[in-house]
Amino acid sequence: MDQLDAAYENMSLFVKDNRHPCILIDMDGTIKETNAMFRNRFSMEPDDNFLSLFKSKTALGEWYSLKGTSDGTKVSVLENLALSVGENVECLCTAHVFYSQDNGQAVVTLVLPAAFQALPESVYATSFGYISKIILLIDTDGRILDVNSRVAGIFDMKRGTLIGKSIRSLYRKFNTHKDEGEKWYEEYLHHLKLYGKVQFTERFENDPNDIKFFEIQVSYNREDELYVMEMKDCTETEMLRKQLEHSGSLSTVGQMAASIAHEIRNPMTTLKGFVQLMETTADGDTAKYLAVVDSELQRMETILNEMLMLSKPSEGIYSEFSLGVLITKVLEIMKPKAMFESILIDWHDASFCNSMIYSNADKLKQVLLNLFKNAFEAMEPGGILTLKLEKEVDSPSFILTLKDTGKGMSELQMKNMFLPFFTSKPEGTGLGLPFVLKTVEDLGGSIGVSSELGVGTTFVLTFPVHCGKRFQEFRQLNVN
């Protein structure tokens, strides 16, 4: 009896540890033991009859022949065994049968076709950690049961420190609603309980320099009585959306500028004429006052011209020219101002004078003048403006880097620098950098900016190389 018990125990262990669907059965088909793989695939439990899955009499005949021909133990293989795996669904599998005559039982291991094989639970557990989204499993009390490893890279928190914590406390820590955070949390929770699902976009902040946006979806799993939260980083998408909004504001400014120009230019011309006429006969304090009026009228004209420049579409003469030569010419224009303000210019052409591009030279000259002027105004006497032009590796583009040693920009200035009318200068119009951005983008280029207070600012401009008239023809097709 002890030997039979030992044999049964060994066979039972073999069933449970098998990575394939496996059962221990009596020869009449009664199931004694099953593993999880078999139960999940065939929905059968102990005391059910395995032979009820057989789809042909031939297979049943082969099965019963095992007992009649066996003496002691026997290992047999039943090829192409047709088994029912669901309503009106069958599969051809291979059955490896280990039959023991001592206890009249057999261990049956089923090797299923790939389409019917269920993955081991360990595969799902491992995959949970590799999902690109943050996945959190939360119980009905709001406690975090588990979280995948993605959370460490995004929130700079270890998985172990989050398990057992309240999801409400995590939301409080990172959301940027601040005082209204609790209200929004309750709103989301109410929607989730009402509909079983909620989806929203949230802004999270680790510190003022690390702001991220997430698409969050929470669903209630009724079967396991837990909430599944998915968090997808959509920071890049949100930044693109903000850029589109910014482009819209520039378009609005352009439309405003066109109408404002016609309304202001005529009366301003009349005023200038009368002021100049009065200046010819004025003396003393009157002459001083008229000089101030004339100065302010000139300032108004400067603002008007910059608005008109911003509003005009990027049209003009396109030609092939050397970007390095153009930069050198603009620097020649700026040299007297640099000498007067004791600014040193360090100009290095790493393209070795081979910087031919096809673009609008006049527009690029205006861009460079704007940037050089801003750099000079940001620096004290003795400041250094460093310029470097180089060919981008593996790309038909040139990169121009402008680095000054000025006072740098704050985070607020960095965020708003390209917005129309935003300026930190007492005499500034706030239209220079929007014009620079619009022009460079219209010409197919891009701008990157980095700055540090008290250290300086660096602009990185990328200019594409366009070939001959083909680009102009392509551009005209898009315009038409």
Side-chain angles (χ1 to χ4, degrees):
M1 192 68 174
D2 291 341
Q3 288 183 346
L4 288 177
D5 289 342
Y8 177 83
E9 185 177 346
N10 289 333
M11 294 171 83
S12 178
L13 286 172
F14 180 81
V15 169
K16 292 176 181 177
D17 292 340
N18 204 312
R19 66 186 185 90
H20 292 285
C22 190
I23 51 174
L24 173 63
I25 61 174
D26 292 334
M27 290 309 292
D28 63 359
T30 303
I31 298 174
K32 309 304 289 184
E33 292 279 352
T34 68
N35 66 358
M37 296 284 285
F38 181 86
R39 289 193 299 274
N40 292 338
R41 175 52 61 195
F42 295 99
S43 303
M44 298 189 83
E45 300 287 343
D47 295 328
D48 289 338
N49 196 294
F50 171 62
L51 301 184
S52 65
L53 298 177
F54 283 39
K55 302 295 290 184
S56 71
K57 291 181 179 180
T58 303
L60 283 171
E62 288 183 26
W63 173 261
Y64 285 119
S65 69
L66 292 175
K67 183 178 179 181
T69 58
S70 296
D71 182 18
T73 60
K74 182 178 180 181
V75 178
S76 297
V77 178
L78 302 181
E79 299 280 2
N80 297 321
L81 179 63
L83 296 180
S84 174
V85 292
E87 190 176 350
N88 300 321
V89 179
E90 65 178 64
C91 72
L92 293 176
C93 62
T94 301
H96 296 266
V97 183
F98 174 80
Y99 172 67
S100 172
Q101 190 180 41
D102 293 336
N103 59 5
Q105 294 178 325
V107 173
V108 182
T109 302
L110 300 171
V111 180
L112 306 179
F116 293 91
Q117 289 181 14
L119 294 173
E121 292 182 5
S122 60
V123 173
Y124 292 102
T126 305
S127 300
F128 179 68
Y130 283 94
I131 297 172
S132 60
K133 298 179 182 179
I134 297 177
I135 306 292
L136 297 98
L137 304 181
I138 307 161
D139 68 16
T140 51
D141 294 324
R143 297 285 168 187
I144 299 172
L145 299 174
D146 201 358
V147 58
N148 64 349
S149 56
R150 285 284 294 162
V151 74
I154 293 176
F155 284 117
D156 195 25
M157 297 179 72
K158 292 183 179 178
R159 175 175 168 271
T161 61
L162 280 175
I163 294 175
K165 294 285 176 63
S166 166
I167 189 65
R168 187 189 291 262
S169 66
L170 183 69
Y171 182 79
R172 268 198 211 114
K173 179 178 174 64
F174 292 108
N175 90 90
T176 51
H177 292 304
K178 302 304 177 190
D179 295 338
E180 295 188 350
E182 204 68 25
K183 172 189 149 188
W184 281 104
Y185 183 89
E186 292 297 334
E187 283 281 332
Y188 297 144
L189 189 60
H190 174 72
H191 194 283
L192 179 60
K193 289 179 177 178
L194 193 62
Y195 300 104
K197 191 175 190 179
V198 65
Q199 188 168 351
F200 54 95
T201 299
E202 189 61 89
R203 183 176 184 263
F204 286 89
E205 184 176 312
N206 272 336
D207 60 63
N209 296 317
D210 184 14
I211 296 173
K212 294 181 183 295
F213 291 86
F214 289 94
E215 287 179 4
I216 301 174
Q217 179 175 301
V218 188
S219 306
Y220 181 58
N221 182 339
R222 298 185 185 280
E223 184 178 343
D224 297 315
E225 295 186 344
L226 56 81
Y227 296 101
V228 180
M229 177 183 283
E230 303 172 50
M231 300 178 66
K232 179 184 176 184
D233 190 342
C234 63
T235 306
E236 186 175 346
T237 305
E238 281 296 310
M239 292 298 106
L240 287 172
R241 185 181 64 78
K242 287 181 181 294
Q243 287 179 17
L244 284 173
E245 290 176 356
H246 172 65
S247 298
S249 68
L250 285 179
S251 176
T252 303
V253 168
Q255 294 169 12
M256 288 170 54
S259 59
I260 290 171
H262 291 291
E263 295 296 329
I264 294 179
R265 176 159 282 179
N266 290 336
M268 191 173 68
T269 303
T270 304
L271 283 171
K272 285 181 68 177
F274 275 108
V275 168
Q276 289 168 1
L277 183 63
M278 293 171 68
E279 281 179 328
T280 58
T281 58
D283 56 8
D285 289 342
T286 304
K288 290 180 183 178
Y289 298 149
L290 287 174
V292 173
V293 172
D294 189 43
S295 173
E296 290 304 306
L297 284 172
Q298 287 179 17
R299 175 168 157 73
M300 287 174 64
E301 189 173 27
T302 300
I303 294 173
L304 181 61
N305 289 336
E306 289 193 16
M307 288 182 69
L308 286 171
M309 193 180 294
L310 184 63
S311 67
K312 289 178 182 177
S314 182
E315 296 177 357
I317 300 172
Y318 283 77
S319 61
E320 193 170 17
F321 60 91
S322 168
L323 184 57
V325 171
L326 178 69
I327 295 169
T328 302
K329 287 181 178 178
V330 176
L331 287 175
E332 288 295 325
I333 297 172
M334 299 298 295
K335 265 186 181 179
K337 183 175 177 64
M339 292 176 65
F340 180 76
E341 297 183 4
S342 301
I343 301 294
L344 176 65
I345 299 174
D346 181 13
W347 162 224
H348 178 53
D349 187 357
S351 69
F352 303 105
C353 301
N354 185 22
S355 55
M356 299 300 293
I357 65 172
Y358 188 82
S359 191
N360 188 325
D362 289 335
K363 290 287 185 183
L364 286 185
K365 187 184 292 184
Q366 292 169 10
V367 165
L368 294 171
L369 285 169
N370 261 291
L371 292 175
F372 294 164
K373 178 173 169 284
N374 284 351
F376 285 8
E377 290 173 354
M379 290 187 285
E380 298 291 335
I384 302 173
L385 176 63
T386 305
L387 298 122
K388 183 178 181 181
L389 179 65
E390 55 191 330
K391 182 77 168 59
E392 190 171 8
V393 180
D394 299 327
S395 175
S397 302
F398 290 98
I399 299 174
L400 173 62
T401 305
L402 297 90
K403 183 177 181 181
D404 67 50
T405 56
K407 55 190 174 184
M409 289 188 284
S410 66
E411 185 181 348
L412 177 65
Q413 290 171 319
M414 285 284 290
K415 284 181 179 178
N416 298 296
M417 62 188 296
F418 291 117
L419 291 178
F421 304 113
F422 178 83
T423 180
S424 58
K425 305 173 191 173
E427 301 296 321
T429 63
L431 294 172
L433 285 178
F435 164 76
V436 168
L437 178 65
K438 180 178 183 295
T439 303
V440 172
E441 289 183 346
D442 284 349
L443 296 175
S446 63
I447 298 180
V449 188
S450 61
S451 187
E452 187 177 346
L453 280 172
V455 176
T457 301
T458 301
F459 280 81
V460 179
L461 286 77
T462 303
F463 299 100
V465 177
H466 299 301
C467 302
K469 295 181 180 179
R470 291 182 60 188
F471 170 69
Q472 192 174 17
E473 290 168 357
F474 173 73
R475 189 173 178 280
Q476 287 298 324
L477 277 173
N478 281 325
V479 170
N480 296 331

